[in-house]
Amino acid sequence: MLLDALLSNEQNKAALVRLGADGRLPHAIILEGERGSGRFTLARLISAMAVCRRSGAGCGECPDCKMALEGQHPDVEVFAKSGGQGTLTIKSLRTINQSVATPPNQGRRRVVILRDIQDIAQARTLNTLLKVIEEPPEYLMFIITVDNRENLLPTILSRCLLLRMELPSPEECAGRVQELLEGGVGAQEALRMARLCGGNIGRTAQLLSDTPEARVMADALALSKALIGHERYQVLRLLQRYERDRAGYRELLCDLRVIFSQLVEQKYQPQDEELSALSQRLTALQGIKILDIIDDMSRTGQFNLNLPLTLTRLGARLTGAVLG
Ligand SMILES: [Zn+2]
């Protein structure tokens, strides 16, 4: 089945297949989920279902399905914050409206994918499309991917089928990431990262590839080890790398939060040899103290402070928490 290409999401897939088979795919679908959760993968799959002329649930084999899955179908257009065929801004509204008003070239449907509506400004752009979403031409289908439905107007939400993305288990996630990276990563490493990412395939793959995000995560892991090993100098040295990198610093805090949450959890449910060994050297109280410090430092106001000073303070508080 076409939708089997997406892991997990059994309820979502069943609902879509049912609607597709009955020829009742809705005119607007919202896919809500965090970045990396497979929203866009599902959007592409639904676009294939919509343009397939063989089966309402998408056959996955005809030229229409193939073109849609490869992002080459003339009746499927993607508008994104950046990249894609169009950029999602107020200016692009005109293009979107033109697109919407043009009947399909080849088949029965024209699909417009609006990718990553993550902030209010973009949501406002979308809200101006309300009219089209309220009274869409028969051939039109919108697929909207969004981090959080709260950014969208209730009037839009009420017109759309809303599907919340589900993440697969860490085991399934690790397996898929190993396929994606074509054996470039070991099973245990993949599983460890999949656990840290809560089964988010996109994020796991990103952190196991040569990306800036992966380097920050590697630093966060090294920092956690140094902290638990009372290697104060190493802690400071790792933090110093972020003296001129505010975005990296924010990311580092997020990664530390994920690692220490996992370390506290591993104390009670050991799953990963390396993480569980590390968590044995940390008391639950120390773990919780560290999480409190990270939360405190993450509050937005902190980001405007002098960065080297903030890093020194973070280092002092973290080492204090393991020593105290
Ligand atoms: Zn097909």
Side-chain angles (χ1 to χ4, degrees):
M1 193 179 77
L2 178 67
L3 289 179
D4 284 340
L6 183 77
L7 288 178
S8 189
N9 289 286
E10 299 311 329
Q11 281 189 359
N12 291 338
K13 290 193 281 196
L16 287 165
V17 168
R18 214 163 38 236
L19 289 167
D22 294 351
R24 290 189 296 117
L25 275 179
H27 287 286
I29 301 179
I30 294 175
L31 305 177
E32 182 193 39
E34 59 190 72
R35 184 180 291 268
S37 60
R39 300 171 302 187
F40 192 59
T41 304
L42 182 54
R44 279 253 182 265
L45 290 165
I46 299 173
S47 76
M49 289 174 71
V51 296
C52 178
R53 278 177 279 181
R54 280 195 201 160
S55 150
C59 71
E61 282 157 12
C62 69
D64 283 305
C65 278
K66 281 189 178 149
M67 279 192 284
L69 294 175
E70 285 162 11
Q72 307 287 342
H73 199 287
D75 290 328
V76 181
E77 272 187 290
V78 181
F79 291 89
K81 196 172 178 187
S82 54
Q85 283 146 301
T87 306
L88 196 54
T89 60
I90 297 287
K91 266 191 206 159
S92 63
L93 263 180
R94 199 181 307 144
T95 329
I96 295 176
N97 274 325
Q98 273 167 7
S99 190
V100 159
T102 318
N105 292 305
Q106 302 201 352
R108 52 197 172 103
R109 285 267 202 183
R110 170 177 282 280
V111 183
V112 174
I113 302 178
L114 304 178
R115 187 178 183 175
D116 291 351
I117 311 286
Q118 46 226 346
D119 52 43
I120 300 292
Q122 283 177 298
R124 235 178 253 144
T125 311
L126 181 64
N127 290 339
T128 44
L129 286 172
L130 191 61
K131 211 69 229 134
V132 199
I133 292 180
E134 274 181 352
E135 293 158 25
E138 195 46 41
Y139 55 78
L140 186 70
M141 176 191 258
F142 272 113
I143 306 175
I144 300 157
T145 72
V146 64
D147 288 358
N148 189 336
R149 71 181 79 176
E150 281 168 18
N151 287 346
L152 302 175
L153 281 179
T155 32
I156 286 208
L157 290 175
S158 65
R159 302 281 170 175
C160 301
L161 171 71
L162 183 86
L163 300 177
R164 166 99 201 128
M165 300 301 295
E166 283 166 28
L167 295 174
S169 70
E171 288 74 14
E172 286 177 305
C173 167
R176 178 57 60 90
V177 167
Q178 278 185 288
E179 284 167 26
L180 287 173
L181 301 180
E182 294 171 348
V185 57
Q188 207 181 351
E189 201 189 351
L191 188 55
R192 177 175 309 138
M193 204 54 91
R195 284 206 179 98
L196 286 174
C197 296
N200 182 318
I201 296 173
R203 177 88 178 134
T204 305
Q206 182 187 46
L207 292 184
L208 290 170
S209 309
D210 186 21
T211 57
E213 290 81 5
R215 288 188 281 280
V216 177
M217 179 50 104
D219 280 349
L221 276 165
L223 197 129
S224 309
K225 282 180 198 162
L227 196 60
I228 292 170
H230 296 187
E231 298 165 56
R232 194 167 166 275
Y233 176 74
Q234 174 70 351
V235 170
L236 296 179
R237 201 181 66 83
L238 285 161
L239 286 173
Q240 263 169 12
R241 291 185 185 171
Y242 294 85
E243 284 189 346
R244 290 165 188 279
D245 180 5
R246 205 170 280 275
Y249 165 64
R250 278 180 223 191
E251 178 117 6
L252 184 77
L253 280 179
C254 291
D255 290 350
L256 283 172
R257 180 160 224 305
V258 165
I259 293 169
F260 279 94
S261 307
Q262 188 67 226
L263 288 179
V264 171
E265 202 172 298
Q266 293 266 334
K267 289 195 81 65
Y268 305 103
Q269 279 187 317
Q271 285 171 320
D272 180 271
E273 222 170 284
E274 193 180 323
L275 289 181
S276 136
L278 201 58
S279 79
Q280 295 315 315
R281 296 164 63 198
L282 185 80
T283 68
L285 188 64
Q286 285 171 332
I288 290 163
K289 255 196 216 168
I290 289 173
L291 286 171
D292 279 346
I293 294 169
I294 295 167
D295 282 347
D296 189 38
M297 300 293 288
S298 303
R299 284 191 192 105
T300 23
Q302 308 278 358
F303 293 128
N304 298 323
L305 298 173
N306 171 313
L307 199 48
L309 209 66
T310 306
L311 288 163
T312 310
R313 184 150 167 267
L314 175 65
R317 291 184 70 185
L318 289 176
T319 44
V322 267
L323 293 173

